[in-house]
Amino acid sequence: MIVYATHAGGRYLPIEESLREQPEGKRAVYVNITNDCNCDCVFCLRSMKEMARESSLWIEQDPSVKEIIAELDRLPWEYVREVVCCGFGEPLIRLDTVLAVLRHVKEHHPEVATRVNTNGLGELEHGFEFAERFAGLLDTISISLNASNAERYLSLTRSKFGISSYEAMLTFAEHCKPYVPNVVLTVVEKVENEEEIARCRAICAERGLTLRVRVYEDS
């Protein structure tokens, strides 16, 4: 599924089904950019093979920009509050695709908010800074903080980039601040206890960032 809406119970619905279930009100729509990921998080549903085979979010191949835009253009935009670039993997692995999608939304529907959900390791992936490319295109970037220190972070994410991943992720968040109005870091409830979450809040406060505690999605 390339474009979908989320509903109670962790369900991912095509927009037609979403409107049948919830005929009124605006909603966020999600763009599934890729299955590929540079992490293998211990709490991620993609690590469960049965889930990966059965989930409607698992795509056989990465959609092209043309395919994504075709899906977006058929949306009933009067019901769209926000467009979120995400994926069953890490969307910023396909940086140019994400930028093309954001640009299309802002050119044709400037009143609609845009968001990217990411692990924040894009600069390690591509080898250069690119946050300035989000200027005028991206309203919110949600970055997975996951832990209060590099060792804990690596044990949870199993990032292919190793121990340097944690500081790179925080640096990326700071690079985004001048160009993206809302830079949000996240941790997952149940994965971390209250003490660890408190430490994460302190780290975000020191760097002028916002922390959000995400609801854990059970398999």
Side-chain angles (χ1 to χ4, degrees):
M1 192 185 305
I2 298 175
V3 175
Y4 60 93
T6 60
H7 284 260
R11 292 172 299 126
Y12 313 105
L13 301 181
I15 195 67
E16 295 84 1
E17 293 182 29
S18 174
L19 287 169
R20 281 196 293 271
E21 182 164 318
Q22 181 187 327
E24 297 181 357
K26 295 189 176 185
R27 66 215 68 202
V29 297
Y30 294 78
V31 182
N32 198 3
I33 300 292
T34 185
N35 288 339
D36 293 338
C37 194
N38 41 34
C39 288
D40 182 22
C41 297
V42 297
F43 53 82
C44 181
L45 295 179
R46 65 175 284 126
S47 67
M48 304 174 188
K49 291 184 179 179
E50 183 176 352
M51 174 67 182
R53 286 196 302 268
E54 295 179 358
S55 172
S56 60
L57 293 187
W58 190 264
I59 46 182
E60 293 302 318
Q61 61 183 24
D62 290 349
S64 66
V65 172
K66 184 177 180 180
E67 289 172 324
I68 294 170
I69 288 176
E71 289 284 318
L72 291 175
D73 284 348
R74 70 182 189 86
L75 288 176
W77 283 91
E78 65 271 24
Y79 293 100
V80 178
R81 180 185 73 252
E82 182 181 35
V83 172
V84 185
C85 290
C86 54
F88 212 38
E90 167 50 45
L92 292 182
I93 287 177
R94 301 186 68 202
L95 175 61
D96 289 342
T97 297
V98 169
L99 290 170
V101 170
L102 296 175
R103 190 173 298 110
H104 182 81
V105 172
K106 286 302 184 184
E107 285 178 354
H108 294 85
H109 308 280
E111 76 286 355
V112 173
T114 54
R115 170 163 45 110
V116 170
N117 292 347
T118 176
N119 60 26
L121 302 180
E123 291 181 344
L124 287 179
E125 180 72 32
H126 297 288
F128 59 87
E129 297 179 21
F130 54 79
E132 63 182 324
R133 301 187 187 187
F134 292 139
L137 301 179
L138 184 58
D139 297 303
T140 300
I141 190 160
S142 179
I143 302 169
S144 299
L145 174 62
N146 289 319
S148 66
N149 62 78
E151 290 76 15
R152 172 70 174 160
Y153 176 88
L154 185 59
S155 71
L156 287 173
T157 65
R158 298 183 290 198
S159 165
K160 75 176 189 180
F161 302 111
I163 200 69
S164 64
S165 301
Y166 187 69
E167 188 58 36
M169 171 269 298
L170 287 170
T171 299
F172 173 69
E174 293 184 314
H175 288 167
C176 288
K177 285 174 61 178
Y179 307 106
V180 182
N182 303 300
V183 180
V184 180
L185 274 68
T186 66
V187 293
V188 180
E189 67 168 5
K190 297 185 182 180
V191 175
E192 301 296 359
N193 60 34
E194 287 301 319
E195 289 183 0
E196 179 69 5
I197 291 174
R199 286 191 284 267
C200 290
R201 289 192 192 281
I203 287 170
C204 289
E206 289 171 3
R207 298 181 182 238
L209 302 166
T210 299
L211 181 73
R212 181 173 74 87
V213 181
R214 291 165 47 204
V215 175
Y216 176 76
E217 290 186 30
D218 202 343
S219 58

